[in-house]
């Protein structure tokens, strides 16, 4: 089964950028909401793709919580809400996806003492059909007895904010792994590792987040710089994989030919007729034991000293493949091969 990869993004929405909790909650829930500060009504009731929505740590509707978040903030540059967007494994039943999204929403509400709205989204009809994901829109203030109180600063602080984001990523990765294990899809768990390629020791170029606007422009034929760069990286990685497959195939053919050649070759006779103790001309002057058997080198058969038997031209073909691979990778701008090529002994230092 195909699967998407781990993705989690945390964003803050501020009035200084024209945002409001009413507009954000209306959008993610495909509903209506009125921004009491700006006096504007936002209507997204015609939007499709919303599977479920529910408040966590708040007794009320998403619209009521959004109005509370907007009305509590009194400054024109206030951060009115935060939003957590994260990908879900495709192919899961809706119930499983909803339980997973709700679990992370409750975790956020408990850890920071805030109220939020959890929304489960289905893939867009025009987008990638594996794009199952969820939104958690939550308050920037703690909630007590149904009222928003003091601001939560842990996500804003430079020292603690980055650590909290790492914790959220790790926690969501853990929850996803547990869900996949519960449905017997353990082989997909590594794809949902929250760590970066660098932290995992993977030498591979990474793509950049394009965003909803970037993908929409790409579908209209107006690709952004990020979209073009990501496409170039994807094409380069696909070309690298293709070259590695060619190398592996050629290696398998060469090995098979070598084995067939070695199997059909007559075994060398170890016993000779020269007198005991005299040097053997046929054996390159090697001494002969009293039993008449040549004293072989410690590495085994004399003919094995040059390595495994290879068919004529194999070394030249391998060198040619390596040179060709190095030249094509240079054109693609990749500084190193992936793990598959390194396992074949094809690292950049041999080109």
């Amino acid at each position: 089964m195909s699967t998407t990869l781990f993705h989690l993004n945390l964003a803050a929405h501020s009035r200084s950028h024209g945002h409001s909790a009413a507009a954000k909650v209306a959008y993610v829930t495909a509903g209506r909401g009125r921004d009491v500060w700006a006096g504007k009504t936002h209507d997204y009731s015609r939007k499709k793709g919303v599977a479920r929505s529910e408040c966590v740590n708040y007794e009320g509707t998403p619209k009521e919580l959004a109005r509370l978040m907007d009305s509590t903030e009194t400054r024109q540059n206030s951060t009115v809400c935060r939003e957590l967007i994260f990908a879900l494994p495709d192919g899961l039943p809706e119930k499983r996806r909803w339980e997973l999204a709700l679990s992370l929403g409750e975790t956020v509400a408990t850890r920071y003492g805030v109220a939020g709205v959890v929304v489960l989204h289905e893939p867009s009809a025009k987008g990638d059909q594996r794009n199952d994901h969820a939104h958690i829109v939550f308050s920037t203030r703690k909630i007590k007895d149904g009222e928003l109180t003091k601001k939560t600063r842990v996500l804003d602080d430079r020292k603690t904010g980055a650590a909290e984001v790492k914790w959220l990523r790790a926690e969501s990765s853990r929850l996803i792994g547990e869900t996949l294990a519960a449905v017997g899809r353990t082989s997909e768990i590594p794809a949902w590792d929250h760590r970066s390629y660098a932290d995992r020791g993977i030498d591979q170029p990474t793509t950049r987040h394009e965003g909803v606007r970037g993908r929409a422009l790409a579908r209209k034929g107006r690709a952004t710089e990020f979209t073009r760069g990501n496409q170039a990286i994807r094409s380069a990685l696909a070309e690298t994989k293709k070259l590695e497959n060619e190398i592996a195939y050629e290696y398998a053919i060469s090995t098979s030919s070598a084995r067939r050649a070695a199997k059909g070759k007559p075994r060398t006779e170890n016993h000779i007729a020269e007198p005991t103790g005299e040097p053997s001309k046929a054996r390159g002057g090697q001494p002969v034991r009293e039993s008449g058997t040549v004293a072989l080198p410690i590495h085994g058969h004399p003919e094995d000293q040059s390595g495994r038997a290879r068919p004529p031209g194999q070394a030249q073909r391998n060198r040619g493949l390596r040179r060709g691979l190095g030249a094509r990778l240079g054109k693609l701008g990749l500084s190193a091969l992936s793990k598959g090529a390194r396992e074949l002994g094809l690292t950049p230092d041999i080109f």
Side-chain angles (χ1 to χ4, degrees):
M1 179 176 291
S2 63
T3 182
T4 46
L5 299 177
F6 181 87
H7 171 78
L8 182 142
N9 182 62
L10 179 65
H13 298 293
S14 172
R15 283 198 184 119
S16 60
H17 292 92
H19 301 155
S20 69
K24 176 51 63 177
V25 171
Y27 178 78
V28 298
T29 60
R32 289 168 54 91
R34 182 166 179 78
D35 180 358
V36 295
W37 177 272
K40 294 174 61 177
T41 299
H42 301 273
D43 187 356
Y44 295 99
S45 56
R46 298 177 64 183
K47 187 178 183 295
K48 306 295 183 182
V50 177
R52 295 191 190 185
S53 62
E54 184 179 310
C55 289
V56 289
N57 206 19
Y58 181 76
E59 297 294 333
T61 65
K63 184 187 295 186
E64 292 170 346
L65 178 57
R67 186 182 300 116
L68 180 62
M69 287 190 281
D70 279 331
S71 61
T72 303
E73 304 300 336
T74 58
R75 292 164 40 195
Q76 67 180 31
N77 65 343
S78 291
T79 300
V80 291
C81 64
R82 292 189 178 91
E83 181 184 19
L84 196 66
I85 308 174
F86 55 101
L88 300 170
D90 67 300
L92 287 176
E94 182 181 308
K95 181 181 178 182
R96 288 283 187 180
R97 285 183 282 122
W98 174 244
E99 291 173 349
L100 180 55
L102 197 59
S103 294
L104 187 57
E106 291 172 345
T107 298
V108 169
T110 301
R111 185 172 181 83
Y112 305 116
V114 297
V117 180
V118 181
V119 189
L120 181 63
H121 276 197
E122 296 174 342
S124 170
K126 297 181 180 179
D128 191 335
Q129 294 306 297
R130 300 170 300 170
N131 188 27
D132 291 305
H133 63 282
H135 297 250
I136 303 174
V137 180
F138 58 101
S139 63
T140 59
R141 295 177 180 271
K142 293 180 179 293
I143 191 166
K144 184 177 181 180
D145 299 327
E147 296 295 329
L148 296 178
T149 58
K150 63 180 181 179
K151 282 277 191 177
T152 57
R153 301 295 184 184
V154 65
L155 289 168
D156 299 321
D157 190 273
R158 289 186 176 182
K159 293 182 179 180
T160 61
E164 286 299 311
V165 171
K166 286 184 177 181
W167 184 88
L168 287 170
R169 290 172 62 85
E171 183 66 10
S172 62
S173 178
R174 183 186 69 80
L175 292 172
I176 290 171
E178 290 179 355
T179 300
L180 289 173
V183 297
R185 291 166 56 177
T186 54
S187 61
E188 298 178 30
I189 293 177
W192 294 90
D193 194 325
H194 67 283
R195 296 173 298 168
S196 66
Y197 283 155
D199 290 341
R200 283 182 278 171
I202 299 176
D203 188 8
Q204 179 173 311
T206 57
T207 56
R208 301 180 67 176
H209 182 60
E210 299 170 16
V212 176
R213 181 175 175 79
R215 290 191 294 272
L217 289 173
R219 287 195 294 268
K220 296 178 181 179
R222 298 164 56 192
T224 63
E225 180 181 351
F226 285 177
T227 303
R228 290 192 295 270
N230 288 344
Q231 185 57 44
I233 291 174
R234 293 187 187 103
S235 298
L237 292 175
E239 180 71 9
T240 303
K241 185 65 176 178
K242 179 182 176 182
L243 293 172
E244 290 176 5
N245 290 338
E246 292 177 5
I247 292 287
Y249 176 76
E250 182 68 21
Y251 178 80
I253 293 297
S254 300
T255 303
S256 177
S257 299
R259 288 174 179 171
R260 286 197 299 270
K263 186 176 293 186
K265 189 173 182 179
R267 298 182 63 179
T268 304
E269 182 62 51
N270 289 336
H271 296 280
I272 59 175
E274 284 84 0
T276 303
E278 294 295 326
S280 169
K281 296 181 181 180
R283 297 294 180 180
Q286 293 180 352
V288 180
R289 294 194 182 97
E290 293 182 1
S291 61
T293 304
V294 177
L296 300 178
I298 61 173
H299 296 297
H301 200 281
E303 293 185 10
D304 288 336
Q305 301 308 300
S306 59
R308 182 182 294 178
R310 298 176 179 174
Q314 179 186 343
Q316 290 84 348
R317 285 199 301 273
N318 286 346
R319 283 196 295 271
L321 281 168
R322 288 172 178 144
R323 283 197 298 270
L325 179 58
R328 290 165 75 178
L329 285 176
K331 292 180 181 179
L332 294 173
L334 295 180
S335 60
L337 292 175
S338 62
K339 182 180 179 181
R342 290 198 296 271
E343 288 178 347
L344 291 174
L346 304 177
T347 52
D349 59 342
I350 69 174
F351 298 130

